[in-house]
């Protein structure tokens, strides 16, 4: 699903992004509710980037990557945590592209996500290449999502990958 977000472009630099786990749902500009087997996933586009809410029999998970005033947790390159019965893994990297390459990559990603049944993308007013896009799936008993946060004025694309699954039980 592709939508135009009706808001100002608030996080204008890739370095403004912060990461948080366990935040309450924030006001969203667009939402996609998904049922992935026994997992309920909500992809949420915020005025300041994204939030994913996951609910399953093993618990809940809330991931927020956004410009969050007062946040002291910058966007990490990687995180691995235990959340109750779950293993949570997060990774992020920044791609720096030329103006022409950026426009092509933006069009490619928006087309991919807009046509996917588990995809949500929103473009911000002012630039067709300023967007946040999200794609979720369930594979091998895990819920996974990828996100892309585009900063055309910098030629930067922040890419994240998250994987949440039940922790493997070790036999004694």
């Amino acid at each position: 699903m592709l939508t135009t977000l009706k808001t100002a472009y608030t996080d204008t630099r890739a370095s403004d992004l912060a990461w948080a786990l366990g935040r309450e749902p924030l006001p969203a500009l667009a939402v996609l509710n998904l049922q992935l087997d026994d997992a309920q996933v909500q992809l949420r586009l915020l005025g300041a980037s994204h939030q994913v809410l996951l609910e399953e029999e093993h618990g809940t998970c809330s991931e927020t990557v956004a410009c969050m005033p007062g946040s002291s947790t910058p966007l990490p390159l990687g995180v691995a945590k235990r959340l109750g019965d779950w293993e949570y893994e997060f990774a992020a990297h920044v791609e720096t592209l030329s103006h022409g390459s950026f426009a092509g990559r933006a069009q490619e990603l928006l087309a991919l996500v807009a046509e996917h049944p588990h995809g949500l993308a929103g473009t911000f007013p002012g630039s067709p290449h300023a967007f946040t896009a999200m794609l979720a799936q369930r594979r091998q008993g895990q819920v996974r999502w990828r996100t892309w946060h585009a900063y055309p004025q910098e030629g930067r694309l922040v890419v994240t990958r998250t994987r949440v699954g039940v922790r493997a039980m070790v036999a004694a």
Side-chain angles (χ1 to χ4, degrees):
M1 180 169 87
L2 178 62
T3 186
T4 299
L5 302 173
K6 293 172 178 44
T7 187
Y9 190 45
T10 57
D11 57 340
T12 57
R13 294 184 328 219
S15 61
D16 289 341
L17 285 177
W19 169 86
L21 203 53
R23 289 191 70 140
E24 292 295 317
L26 297 172
L29 300 172
V31 174
L32 180 62
N33 291 305
L34 302 171
Q35 187 72 40
L36 302 177
D37 294 335
D38 59 346
Q40 295 174 2
V41 179
Q42 189 175 78
L43 304 180
R44 303 167 59 81
L45 294 177
L46 313 175
S49 284
H50 90 257
Q51 187 173 50
V52 177
L53 306 177
L54 168 63
E55 187 174 333
E56 203 177 32
E57 70 176 289
H58 296 283
T60 62
C61 176
S62 166
E63 174 190 279
T64 306
V65 172
C67 177
M68 296 178 277
S71 175
S72 60
T73 307
L75 191 64
L77 295 178
V79 174
K81 285 187 171 268
R82 287 188 176 168
L83 300 174
D85 291 338
W86 282 342
E87 293 284 347
Y88 168 90
E89 293 181 14
F90 172 86
H93 73 275
V94 178
E95 297 176 15
T96 302
L97 304 161
S98 69
H99 180 72
S101 294
F102 192 94
R105 181 94 166 111
Q107 290 174 342
E108 172 187 284
L109 288 169
L110 287 172
L112 168 76
V113 174
E115 295 172 12
H116 197 286
H118 301 150
L120 176 62
T123 57
F124 291 89
S127 172
H129 303 128
F131 68 90
T132 299
M134 310 168 72
L135 191 60
Q137 65 179 347
R138 182 161 189 112
R139 200 168 86 206
Q140 299 172 339
Q142 298 175 333
V143 177
R144 302 168 183 229
W145 58 87
R146 296 179 65 189
T147 72
W148 298 269
H149 304 262
Y151 299 90
Q153 71 284 5
E154 292 184 320
R156 290 190 174 174
L157 185 67
V158 178
V159 181
T160 74
R161 291 179 187 262
T162 302
R163 182 174 65 183
V164 179
V166 176
R167 204 170 29 167
M169 299 299 165
V170 178

